[in-house]
Amino acid sequence: MFNKLTDRFQQAFRSLTGRGHLTESNISDALNEIRKALLEADVNYQVTKQFVADVREECLGEAVMKSVTPGQQAVKVVHDKLVALLGESAVPLELSGSPAVIMLCGLHGSGKTTTSAKLALYLRDKQKRKVMLAACDVNRPAAIDQLEFLGKELGVPVFLDRDLKDVPKLALLAVDAARKQGCDTLILDTAGRLQIDQDLVQELADIKRRVQPKEILLVGDAALGQEAVSVAEHFDQALGITGIILTKLDGDARGGAALSMRQVTGKPVKFVTVGERPIDLEVFHPDRMAQRILN
Ligand code: GDP
C-alpha cells in the first residue's frame, strides 16, 4: 500500500542526507516533497499541514542543525513525527468483564464479518482467550451463514438465532450463552449499511445500552481513503467508539486513511488486516508502521 509514499519519502531524504550541511532552503525542498507525497497519498490536508510544520520547526532547531549528521537527524525527526502521527504506541484491547464484549461495527463490505473471525482467531491463539462469536446482523441471512461458516472453519463457537429479530435481545442472549459455555470473550458482528443511517445508529446504540461492550471497534476500509476517516468520525459521534480496525491494507489504497485516522478521530487504530485469510490480522504498532512507510 505504501510503495509510492515510500519512494517519495526516500527521494526527500536523499535531498537531506546527500549534502554536507542543512540549510533552510534544502530543508524546504525536502519538506515540499514530503507535503506533496502525503497529499498524493490522500492524507487529510490539515494533518499534512501540521505534520510538515512540526517537522520544519524541529529540523531548524539547534539540535538538528548543529548535530554532526544533520541530514540523518532530520530523517529521524520525520520518523519520530510519523510515529507520533500514527499514535505513538500500540493500544491493547480492554478485555475486562465476563465475558469481555467487543462490538464490531462499520459499513457494509468494510470487512466486519471476516474481521470478527480474524479477531476471534487472534484472541484465542495469541491471547489464550476463550472466544465466542455472535451473529447480530439479523436481517442478512448471508451474513449469519458466513459467520457460521467461518466459526466452524476456525473451531470458534458462533451464537445465532435465525428467527430472532430483536438485536439487543439477541446480544444479551449471546452474553448468557458465552457465560454458560465458559467463554471469556464475546465478539458481536453487527449489521452494516451502504451508508450510516439513523436506523443503523439506533440499533447499535440499543445494543450498546443493553450489553455495555468494553470495546466498540469501527471496522473501516482503508481503500476508501479520506472517506474511511469520515465514516469513523460519524460512528464515533453516534456511538463513542473505542478504537478502529483498518482493513484491506494489502490493497492498492494510497495509505491516507492509515495516516490520518488517529489524528482526525482521536481514537487509536488497534489492528489492521492485510489479506483475506483468517491469519491476516496484525496488531497496529505505530513504530513498525512508520518503518514500513519509510523503508
Ligand atoms: P462486511 O460486509 O463488513 O461483513 O464485510 P466482509 O467481512 O464480508 O468483507 C467484505 C470483503 O472484503 C470480503 O470479500 C473479504 O474477504 C474482503 N476483505 C476483508 N478484509 C480484507 C483484507 O484485509 N484484505 C483483502 N484483500 N480483502 C479483505
Side-chain angles (χ1 to χ4, degrees), residues 12 48 68 72 77 90 109 136 150 170 174 189:
T48 300
V68 189
Q72 251 120 52
V77 168
C136 297
L150 289 167
L170 183 86
D189 177 29

Side-chain angles (χ1 to χ4, degrees), residues 4 42 52 99 101 103 154 157 160 188 196 242-243 250 260 290:
K4 188 145 186 243
D42 196 26
V52 171
V101 181
M103 173 163 128
L154 302 175
L160 56 89
L188 308 178
I196 183 162
T242 58
D250 54 312
S260 317

Side-chain angles (χ1 to χ4, degrees), residues 118-256:
K118 286 170 179 161
L119 190 59
L121 185 69
Y122 164 82
L123 288 171
R124 184 191 69 190
D125 290 355
K126 301 280 196 280
Q127 299 213 4
K128 306 297 168 218
R129 308 282 302 188
K130 202 153 182 289
V131 187
M132 177 179 278
L133 287 157
C136 297
D137 188 354
V138 295
N139 290 315
R140 244 174 24 98
I144 302 177
D145 295 345
Q146 189 190 2
L147 197 69
E148 188 180 29
F149 173 81
L150 289 167
K152 273 204 183 112
E153 200 177 45
L154 302 175
V156 173
V158 177
F159 184 86
L160 56 89
D161 183 335
R162 286 192 167 79
D163 300 319
L164 184 60
K165 302 293 176 203
D166 180 340
V167 187
K169 186 167 176 197
L170 183 86
L172 274 178
L173 289 172
V175 170
D176 262 358
R179 271 192 203 124
K180 286 195 182 111
Q181 294 184 36
C183 293
D184 56 19
T185 311
L186 176 67
I187 299 173
L188 308 178
D189 177 29
T190 64
R193 300 271 199 283
L194 290 175
Q195 287 176 329
I196 183 162
D197 63 33
Q198 201 44 45
D199 285 352
L200 177 64
V201 166
Q202 193 55 53
E203 180 169 308
L204 296 171
D206 285 346
I207 303 177
K208 178 182 175 182
R209 191 166 38 80
R210 297 280 286 278
V211 181
Q212 313 240 321
K214 282 280 159 24
E215 289 280 0
I216 301 178
L217 301 176
L218 181 274
V219 178
D221 181 344
L224 296 180
Q226 285 312 294
E227 184 58 27
V229 180
S230 75
V231 166
E233 277 187 291
H234 276 109
F235 271 92
D236 191 33
Q237 279 153 17
L239 278 176
I241 62 174
T242 58
I244 294 144
I245 301 182
L246 209 47
T247 60
K248 309 184 195 179
L249 253 75
D250 54 312
D252 56 5
R254 290 169 291 167

Side-chain angles (χ1 to χ4, degrees), residues 107-114 118 146 248 250 273-276:
L107 295 184
H108 180 65
S110 59
K112 263 184 323 303
T113 304
T114 46
K118 286 170 179 161
Q146 189 190 2
K248 309 184 195 179
D250 54 312
T273 73
V274 291
E276 297 192 83

